[in-house]
Amino acid sequence: MTVALAIALSALAMTVIVGVRYLLASGGFALATRARHPGLYAGLDTQVRREIAWSLASAAIYGIPAGIVAWGWREHGWTRIYEDVHAYPLWYLPVSVLLYMVAHDTWFYWTHRWMHRPGPFKLAHAVHHASRPPTAWAAMAFHPIEALTGAVVIPLLVIVIPIHVAALGLVLTIMTVMGVTNHMGWEVFPRWVWAGRLGGWLITASHHQKHHERYGCNYGLYFRFWDRVCGTDDGIGDFARAHEQARRRSVRAVR
């Protein structure tokens, strides 16, 4: 097998993995939404189809660099991913997860703020904000330019920061779950998580919902640190308005 073919197959495999992971996660939380809040996505069928189409396109943009790096890891040891759990002290496992999340959150905050400048917003980020209100399917509904800014983060980090393959899997799981739950229009987490002291630093749907309503605030991904430091944290919102709009759409749909 030629090198080019091996890389192409690796990129294809990762694209499929990212796409299936998106469909399972978003589909699962969409079903949970239907069970918990029937009618919340009523009248949004066209929007949901658009979100899925953009997200599957993003899956390829995420999958290609991931596939190249995965091939380089296996064939040439390009990355700092390790499989022997004793290669580093055990205490480093949770530390590495936190390092990745902090680095990813920092990258996301600043690229996200850049995406809200008039030029980048009109060119790319408007695709994501076309979801009004966002649904569980909107987690990866990005213009290719925006998808590319997100796709390079983990591949770059694995080249720089050592991480066990299982810890990396945990990072990717957290990234997927937070991406979906932050957009689905209700809180999947208990009230003490998002409304208590912990919620003062962690981002959940109540925090990100306000970003989709007001645009110029609440830019973070996992943590509220950068929003607080930079004065862009506008606190948590509620879903009363979105749920009332959903109720009205449901009423119109049955008339």
Side-chain angles (χ1 to χ4, degrees):
M1 183 183 297
T2 65
V3 170
L5 180 58
I7 294 175
L9 289 175
S10 181
L12 177 61
M14 291 303 297
T15 296
V16 171
I17 290 171
V18 174
V20 170
R21 184 184 70 187
Y22 159 75
L23 291 172
L24 290 176
S26 290
F29 282 110
L31 287 175
T33 300
R34 179 178 294 182
R36 182 70 180 271
H37 297 281
L40 185 58
Y41 298 161
L44 298 179
D45 293 353
T46 300
Q47 175 183 308
V48 167
R49 286 194 292 270
R50 184 178 66 246
E51 290 170 347
I52 293 173
W54 282 113
S55 294
L56 291 178
S58 295
I61 295 172
Y62 275 75
I64 290 171
I68 294 171
V69 169
W71 174 84
W73 168 50
R74 284 299 189 185
E75 298 296 325
H76 300 288
W78 286 352
T79 75
R80 307 294 302 278
I81 300 172
Y82 62 95
E83 295 178 282
D84 180 3
V85 73
H86 299 295
Y88 288 82
L90 291 179
W91 58 259
Y92 182 70
L93 288 173
V95 169
S96 64
V97 171
L98 182 60
L99 286 174
Y100 270 65
M101 291 181 66
V102 168
H104 189 191
D105 186 72
T106 299
W107 174 268
F108 183 89
Y109 176 86
W110 290 106
T111 56
H112 193 187
R113 279 196 69 171
W114 174 73
M115 282 284 175
H116 275 264
R117 295 178 64 85
F121 187 91
K122 183 178 180 179
L123 177 64
H125 195 48
V127 166
H128 186 63
H129 275 281
S131 295
R132 292 179 62 86
T135 77
W137 297 101
M140 292 179 60
F142 303 134
H143 184 280
I145 292 174
E146 181 170 5
L148 186 60
T149 67
V152 300
V153 181
I154 301 300
L156 289 175
L157 289 176
V158 298
I159 293 172
V160 178
I161 303 176
I163 190 166
H164 188 270
V165 64
L168 179 59
L170 177 59
V171 169
L172 295 175
T173 300
I174 294 171
M175 180 176 71
T176 302
V177 170
M178 296 301 287
V180 176
T181 58
N182 283 354
H183 289 91
M184 65 183 184
W186 58 282
E187 279 289 357
V188 68
F189 300 106
R191 183 178 179 84
W192 64 265
V193 172
W194 56 269
R197 184 172 298 178
L198 188 61
W201 293 101
L202 295 181
I203 289 173
T204 64
S206 297
H207 189 267
H208 196 64
Q209 180 82 358
K210 192 169 249 190
H211 171 76
H212 277 268
E213 290 177 350
R214 297 194 55 198
Y215 288 26
C217 63
N218 298 11
Y219 295 106
L221 177 61
Y222 304 123
F223 310 113
R224 293 171 65 173
F225 172 79
W226 285 111
D227 275 312
R228 287 180 176 273
V229 169
C230 297
T232 55
D233 194 306
D234 197 29
I236 61 174
D238 62 57
F239 302 105
R241 179 181 176 186
H243 290 192
E244 175 60 21
Q245 290 173 338
R247 188 192 65 80
R248 292 175 182 173
R249 289 195 305 269
S250 296
V251 169
R252 288 196 298 267
V254 298
R255 286 179 178 175

